[in-house]
Amino acid sequence: MGGTQASGTRSSGTRSIRSGEDGRGGLGNTLSGLAVAIGFVLFLGGFIWGAVAYQPYTVPTDSMMPTVKPGDRVLAQRIDGGEVRRGDVVIFTDSMWSDSPMVKRVVGIGGDTVKCCGPRGELTVNGTALDEPYIDATKPDTGLEMPPGQTAPSGTPFEVTVPEGNLFLLGDKRAGSLDSRAHLQEAGQGTVSRSTVSARVDALAWPAMEMLERPKTYEGLPGGTSRPGPLLLQVAAVAAGAVLVVLGAAYGPVARALGRGRRQERAGAR
């Protein structure tokens, strides 16, 4: 009698394992293992891809306010200088400016004529006035805000034709930025070579995560604006990978708990 009961118990346990009721076998266990494997690939792959494509950078000065502030941590996509478009915020190193990397916005590229200033203090590129809502609108020397719809003058009038292969760079805090305007008397009239650019800022990472918008004012100019890098796709891959790992790892314990519950219900019914 006892032997028969023990044999029935073993047979029931074998059926449970084969059917996956205890979380150690069956199709569910195979799928959970596959989910964990894919999750690890996505999670680690997203991180590695991000490390290869992007470099972190801490902004040292206030010359790019209000877009980025001193101490802000940004993520900059590693690019070739030939990929730069108007409106991009780039990280570059030019020995004539500084021995350290600097961050500025590209206003003009090779062949452009950049001029200051229009009737309302705006910059023009090839005769087209720029609408720059991203700049610091504090009027120089007074600390007063400009009337609605007007921007602060960019300083001393100038007109520069950018040499081919070069870039004209300005800070968003126009009244407090040492940029191309400070080097107008040098060779190239304050422009720098595209080869000095090492990265393009794609997003703010700290203190808040936020993608950097491409200024619409440059879209109508030849070449348009650059496209965002793969950062959002990388974040999605990391997040999806984490979810798959958690769900796949949780399947076994959950399935075992449910299997024990069902066996106890059947035992109670007998």
Side-chain angles (χ1 to χ4, degrees):
M1 176 84 70
T4 303
Q5 183 177 2
S7 176
T9 301
R10 287 194 296 272
S11 297
S12 175
T14 301
R15 286 195 299 272
S16 296
I17 292 174
R18 289 175 178 173
S19 64
E21 290 181 353
D22 66 349
R24 292 178 293 173
L27 179 61
N29 193 48
T30 300
L31 291 177
S32 69
L34 184 61
V36 170
I38 294 174
F40 269 119
V41 170
L42 287 174
F43 187 82
L44 295 177
F47 267 115
I48 293 172
W49 185 14
V52 170
Y54 285 89
Q55 68 178 69
Y57 178 76
T58 301
V59 178
T61 70
D62 65 354
S63 68
M64 281 299 295
M65 288 181 61
T67 304
V68 289
K69 303 174 179 63
D72 281 358
R73 193 77 165 170
V74 300
L75 293 176
Q77 183 186 6
R78 293 182 173 91
I79 61 169
D80 182 84
E83 301 177 51
V84 174
R85 299 290 182 270
R86 301 179 191 87
D88 287 345
V89 176
V90 298
I91 296 174
F92 68 101
T93 305
D94 187 283
S95 59
M96 297 295 292
W97 291 40
S98 172
D99 292 329
S100 302
M102 302 182 71
V103 55
K104 302 292 179 187
R105 188 181 296 276
V106 177
V107 173
I109 61 176
D112 285 346
T113 297
V114 183
K115 185 177 180 179
C116 176
C117 299
R120 296 188 303 161
E122 71 272 22
L123 286 175
T124 64
V125 175
N126 303 330
T128 300
L130 299 181
D131 177 20
E132 300 183 281
Y134 48 80
I135 70 172
D136 186 328
T138 303
K139 188 175 181 179
D141 303 324
T142 67
L144 299 176
E145 292 294 316
M146 297 293 287
Q150 296 190 22
T151 56
S154 296
T156 305
F158 63 85
E159 182 173 347
V160 173
T161 298
V162 184
E164 290 296 335
N166 282 21
L167 306 168
F168 192 84
L169 304 161
L170 297 178
D172 285 356
K173 187 177 181 180
R174 296 291 160 82
S177 173
L178 293 176
D179 45 39
S180 287
R181 297 168 299 173
H183 301 270
L184 292 174
Q185 305 307 315
E186 299 172 5
Q189 291 185 280
T191 63
V192 300
S193 171
R194 284 179 176 269
S195 64
T196 64
V197 174
S198 60
R200 174 173 54 214
V201 177
D202 233 10
L204 304 180
W206 180 263
M209 185 68 180
E210 180 182 355
M211 295 297 293
L212 212 64
E213 294 185 3
R214 267 55 173 176
K216 297 185 183 301
T217 191
Y218 297 97
E219 290 179 352
L221 296 173
T225 55
S226 63
R227 298 178 61 84
L231 181 60
L232 291 180
L233 186 58
Q234 293 164 355
V235 171
V238 171
V243 170
L244 285 174
V245 169
V246 170
L247 293 179
Y251 172 80
V254 171
R256 284 194 292 272
L258 293 175
R260 283 195 297 269
R262 286 194 292 267
R263 289 197 298 274
Q264 290 171 359
E265 288 177 1
R266 288 198 296 268
R270 290 196 296 268

